[in-house]
Amino acid sequence: MRDKRVLLVVLGLSVVIILAAGLGWLERSDRGDGGDGAMKPQESGTLGIAKHEENWLLDPIYQVKMHRDLVYATKENQLGKQEALALDLYEPDQAEPEARPLILFIHGGGFNSGDKRDAEAIAKEWTSRGYVVASANYRLRNNPQADMKGTIADAIEDLGDALSWLQQNKETYRIDTRLTAVGGDSAGGQLAVTFASRYEAAAREDEPGLFAVIDIYGPLFRGEIQEGYPSTLIIHGTEDAMVPYQESVVLFNMLEAAHVYRQFITMEGGGHSYQDPRVWGQVVQSTVYFLRNAISSPQQIFLPAETELAVSAGDEAKLTLWRQAASTEAAGSIRAKLPDGWGLSGPTVYSAGADTDVAITIPEDTASGLYPVLMWTDQDSGKAELPIALYMKVRDRLSLERTVYYNTDEQQIHTRLAIDNKHPRPLQGKVVLRYLNAKGTQDEVYDLGTLQSGEQRELTLPFYSDDPPTIYYENLFGATLQETPFRTHVFAAEKSNKPLVIDGSLEDWKRGNTFPLNRESQVLMQEYGGADDLSGLGYVTWDEDYVYLALEMKDDQHVQQESGFGIYLGDSVQFSFRMDEKSGAPQGVHEFGAALRKGGSPSTFRWLAPPPFKPGDIPGMKAGISRSGEQTVYEIALPWSELGVKEPSEGLQLKFSLLVNDNDGQGRKGWMEYNSGIGYKDERAFGDLFLVNKRS
């Protein structure tokens, strides 16, 4: 704390799926809207779902067992070489003898990159609830756009082989492949939708069958959606810069036209990363609750029109239940398991033949967040169905925007906090800004007074925090009703009093001002082994000619076999700058990287560059990288001219992010980051870097 007081391509989908000999598919049911609101009947009664507890497949109650690198097929790739294709299998460690439903997940990466390990976090979430999850690799190509039809055909064939292997090994891993969902993100989402669109009926009841599709920002899709297509959940962020949000809207409309049971979850402000902490809880909840409804639909009278229902505290939420056509004669009453203080309001009795609406009251003092709801549609016969599962998203009351800026007169970095009341009613209470400083946790408290609905207010604070603060809204009774964590760091880079020698040694660096690369919240990798695996500190300084960057990293294994564009696949550093619009420099993202190759020579590359700069080599950039024992030192001098800055001066503000890739010999494990937005491209996740003569 610093205070002046004290601080795609278009798919050619004429794809022929070649399935392993003897593999057939269970006939699919149509869980769609028949046009008049009625749900179409389940065609096959062979799913055989046993009676389960109400929280079956909803609660994370199981430990996860992992089986890595299970080879399911060996295929010839585009280079004419035999390639072993593997999957990682996650199974719940449970004593119950029953076979478990399957989720086959397909990683993204633009058909030229990505790995099955990328799905570890979501796979563990689903597995902890009772699914067996298989995350499969498939054949990639260096230039998939050159033959996209062949790229897709190879991948679809590989997925068919993966499912065939899972069918053949279902007894070993206790998998009920008759209950299979297929999903994926980005390119994997495209493949999941395509795979399901080419799904064929099976001749035997014990063969695999799809009950659901999970598509996470996967379109374009140029195939056909027919009646009988599996229930489908689409997840997409409104700020996705790689796959337009509107493409998922088009797919959703295709599902509606084919009367498919469908749900669309919008990640407000979300980019091209479903693992972004801002949306992670929403992704987990929506997939878990949707899958439970899809798999239990043969036992349901109704299915919810919305898996996620966004509401404001103090309001009455209205939920529509879509009736399935097989249950047109059912009549009875509705009961629900709700959070404390919530209640059903209005009629709870439903008659035969139609959809029905349910009203739920949410108390005014409900904190923002996600709240599960279970709902039973008991029939007059006394039969109680497995409950419908959904959740309420209670909206944040306050919209909060934090900006940091340099006050030239005071030569201080300040914070500006914009507050906007998005609640339908006036708010009273206080705003608490909580941050870390050298003394530990510090709170700054501000009386909100009365803030009318739609009213905006701005606080100017004469300090800033290096670490991201968390802001709380508390009502007059001291209850915390909103918690908003910020995730970007602020770094003050002190000017160097002399040019630095770039030789992979930091002896001539002042090391008082560092940024951390040693926190669990900064780790985005599979099987992280702790501080000895990867951890360190970073430094930034500057002079009139260069911005200097240095890292001291503990890394138990160093693997780097690439050069140029591909260095991110091995141990390396990537860093990005975006010039503040007031700087006068060319706008846009600059992304650079450096790595130590086998043999001791450095390799550098620029991946992103706004005009007039170009990706590729970086004229004038100096890199000195050394490796001693288990420590790697990166030292880089980037000319200001490579950022379009003519005369750097105190107070210059840049957007900044950095990550360190880790490869222990089995491919890129992931990375450790300071700020975000590089591994998953989103410049809004960059933090702030200021040039100062002396850190205050």
Side-chain angles (χ1 to χ4, degrees):
M1 187 76 171
R2 305 294 162 242
D3 189 337
K4 71 174 184 179
R5 301 167 299 179
V6 279
L7 168 80
L8 256 132
V9 294
V10 176
L11 299 181
L13 288 176
S14 54
V15 179
V16 177
I17 302 178
I18 304 173
L19 299 175
L23 177 60
W25 307 111
L26 182 68
E27 186 175 359
R28 295 173 307 221
S29 64
D30 181 3
R31 304 179 183 90
D33 183 338
D36 56 359
M39 301 304 296
K40 294 242 177 159
Q42 161 117 358
E43 300 291 346
S44 171
T46 60
L47 293 182
I49 301 174
K51 183 178 180 180
H52 293 278
E53 299 294 329
E54 64 183 41
N55 289 324
W56 176 57
L57 300 178
L58 296 179
D59 291 346
I61 62 176
Y62 298 111
Q63 296 296 314
V64 177
K65 294 168 59 178
M66 293 185 290
H67 307 276
R68 295 290 195 197
D69 302 319
L70 302 174
V71 176
Y72 67 83
T74 300
K75 297 285 193 66
E76 183 178 291
N77 60 26
Q78 66 164 357
L79 301 177
K81 298 181 179 179
Q82 293 296 305
E83 179 180 346
L85 299 173
L87 57 84
D88 292 338
L89 196 72
Y90 304 78
E91 62 167 324
D93 189 4
Q94 61 189 98
E96 299 93 330
E98 293 89 356
R100 292 74 61 91
L102 172 68
I103 301 174
L104 175 60
F105 195 79
I106 313 161
H107 68 79
F111 303 102
N112 64 1
S113 63
D115 184 79
K116 55 187 171 56
R117 293 183 298 177
D118 297 344
E120 180 174 328
I122 194 67
K124 287 181 175 178
E125 290 285 354
W126 292 331
T127 304
S128 71
R129 289 161 169 84
Y131 294 94
V132 176
V133 180
S135 179
N137 279 343
Y138 52 94
R139 281 173 289 177
L140 305 173
R141 300 197 180 194
N142 293 331
N143 185 15
Q145 289 82 3
D147 180 15
M148 185 52 65
K149 181 178 177 180
T151 299
I152 297 292
D154 282 354
I156 292 294
E157 179 183 294
D158 295 344
L159 298 175
D161 286 340
L163 192 52
S164 176
W165 185 93
L166 290 162
Q167 169 72 3
Q168 294 164 13
N169 291 275
K170 65 181 181 179
E171 301 296 335
T172 302
Y173 299 106
R174 289 165 47 208
I175 306 172
D176 188 350
T177 55
R178 298 173 302 166
L179 301 176
T180 297
V182 60
D185 68 295
S186 196
Q190 291 186 34
L191 290 173
V193 172
T194 305
F195 186 77
S197 73
R198 302 291 170 168
Y199 211 59
E200 304 236 343
R204 292 165 38 192
E205 288 188 355
D206 63 345
E207 295 291 351
L210 293 187
F211 74 89
V213 174
I214 303 293
D215 172 26
I216 306 176
Y217 43 72
L220 292 171
F221 170 69
R222 294 301 178 88
E224 295 183 2
I225 301 293
Q226 307 263 350
E227 289 196 15
Y229 192 86
S231 301
T232 300
L233 174 66
I234 299 172
I235 301 174
H236 209 135
T238 55
E239 301 299 323
D240 191 329
M242 299 185 72
V243 178
Y245 177 83
Q246 188 60 32
E247 291 183 9
S248 284
V249 175
V250 172
L251 176 60
F252 186 78
N253 292 337
M254 293 172 65
L255 294 164
E256 182 178 23
H259 313 306
V260 174
Y261 182 60
R262 67 224 167 258
Q263 301 279 278
F264 196 139
I265 302 296
T266 295
M267 301 184 293
E268 293 291 346
H272 200 73
S273 170
Y274 73 93
Q275 298 191 42
D276 186 328
R278 294 173 296 179
V279 299
W280 176 249
Q282 185 184 20
V283 170
V284 172
Q285 287 282 83
S286 63
T287 54
V288 166
Y289 281 71
F290 173 81
L291 288 169
R292 211 321 261 283
N293 290 329
I295 203 170
S296 69
S297 62
Q299 296 185 359
Q300 302 296 349
I301 297 171
F302 299 98
L303 289 175
E306 297 174 273
T307 298
E308 174 189 274
L309 188 59
V311 297
S312 295
D315 285 354
E316 182 180 82
K318 293 185 178 179
L319 172 69
T320 296
L321 301 179
W322 287 338
R323 183 184 291 268
Q324 300 206 78
S327 302
T328 55
E329 300 304 316
S333 60
I334 294 171
R335 58 187 172 91
K337 184 176 182 179
L338 303 169
D340 291 343
W342 296 31
L344 294 177
S345 61
T348 58
V349 175
Y350 61 93
S351 303
D355 297 342
T356 192
D357 293 328
V358 179
I360 300 173
T361 56
I362 296 96
E364 183 66 52
D365 62 353
T366 303
S368 58
L370 307 178
Y371 293 85
V373 171
L374 297 179
M375 195 168 294
W376 288 261
T377 51
D378 297 339
Q379 299 183 57
D380 291 339
S381 63
K383 177 185 176 184
E385 303 290 340
L386 195 68
I388 298 166
L390 62 141
Y391 66 94
M392 300 288 185
K393 180 182 179 182
V394 178
R395 301 184 182 97
D396 285 342
R397 292 162 171 80
L398 298 176
S399 171
L400 301 164
E401 183 177 352
R402 179 195 63 147
T403 57
V404 288
Y405 66 97
Y406 189 78
N407 186 303
T408 304
D409 294 335
E410 300 178 9
Q411 295 185 324
Q412 292 277 343
I413 301 171
H414 287 189
T415 301
R416 183 179 295 115
L417 184 63
I419 304 172
D420 187 357
N421 181 7
K422 296 294 187 180
H423 199 59
R425 290 168 289 281
L427 296 175
Q428 293 180 306
K430 58 187 177 182
V431 170
V432 180
L433 180 70
R434 182 167 297 160
Y435 55 89
L436 291 174
N437 62 14
K439 298 179 181 179
T441 300
Q442 173 103 16
D443 283 357
E444 297 282 345
V445 181
Y446 301 91
D447 186 4
L448 198 60
T450 299
L451 191 66
Q452 300 295 328
S453 179
E455 183 181 353
Q456 298 178 346
R457 190 170 299 169
E458 188 173 278
L459 297 175
T460 299
L461 315 176
F463 59 84
Y464 77 97
S465 57
D466 298 347
D467 287 326
T470 298
I471 298 178
Y472 301 85
Y473 164 64
E474 297 180 1
N475 66 10
L476 292 174
F477 303 101
T480 299
L481 302 183
Q482 180 176 328
E483 177 181 345
T484 304
F486 288 87
R487 306 191 185 278
T488 57
H489 298 259
V490 180
F491 189 84
E494 291 186 34
K495 187 176 183 180
S496 177
N497 55 18
K498 61 180 180 180
L500 299 178
V501 178
I502 307 302
D503 57 1
S505 169
L506 304 188
E507 291 184 1
D508 51 348
W509 281 70
K510 288 175 58 178
R511 304 199 200 182
N513 186 13
T514 66
F515 59 83
L517 284 162
N518 52 22
R519 300 175 181 174
E520 185 176 345
S521 61
Q522 297 176 301
V523 177
L524 284 88
M525 69 176 71
Q526 298 82 26
E527 299 179 349
Y528 178 59
D532 289 341
D533 189 2
L534 186 70
S535 62
L537 294 173
Y539 312 84
V540 181
T541 187
W542 64 285
D543 61 21
E544 287 81 2
D545 298 314
Y546 296 96
V547 55
Y548 299 96
L549 171 70
L551 300 175
E552 292 180 296
M553 301 302 301
K554 177 69 179 296
D555 186 1
D556 59 350
Q557 297 186 61
H558 185 87
V559 179
Q560 178 55 262
Q561 298 176 332
E562 305 286 336
S563 62
F565 180 91
I567 58 175
Y568 73 95
L569 295 171
D571 288 299
S572 57
V573 59
Q574 292 173 252
F575 58 99
S576 281
F577 291 105
R578 180 172 64 81
M579 303 308 302
D580 182 77
E581 60 185 13
K582 299 184 293 295
S583 70
Q587 298 299 299
V589 174
H590 301 260
E591 184 182 322
F592 307 92
L596 180 65
R597 301 192 66 217
K598 187 176 181 180
S601 63
S603 180
T604 62
F605 197 78
R606 186 207 299 258
W607 290 279
L608 298 176
F613 305 100
K614 295 180 180 180
D617 294 334
I618 314 154
M621 188 172 102
K622 303 176 184 179
I625 310 174
S626 63
R627 173 84 175 167
S628 177
E630 294 186 348
Q631 184 180 63
T632 306
V633 174
Y634 296 87
E635 191 179 21
I636 295 166
L638 178 69
W640 284 111
S641 59
E642 290 297 327
L643 297 174
V645 177
K646 295 181 180 179
E647 296 181 2
S649 60
E650 181 170 14
L652 178 66
Q653 181 177 0
L654 305 90
K655 294 295 183 178
F656 172 63
S657 186
L658 174 144
L659 65 78
V660 181
N661 292 302
D662 193 28
N663 185 323
D664 287 347
Q666 300 297 320
R668 185 194 194 201
K669 290 171 55 179
W671 60 86
M672 182 172 286
E673 63 185 17
Y674 177 73
N675 296 310
S676 193
I678 297 179
Y680 300 106
K681 306 303 180 191
D682 185 356
E683 62 186 84
R684 298 169 304 154
F686 291 6
D688 294 277
L689 185 147
F690 291 88
L691 305 188
V692 298
N693 287 330
K694 185 177 180 181
R695 195 170 190 248
S696 57

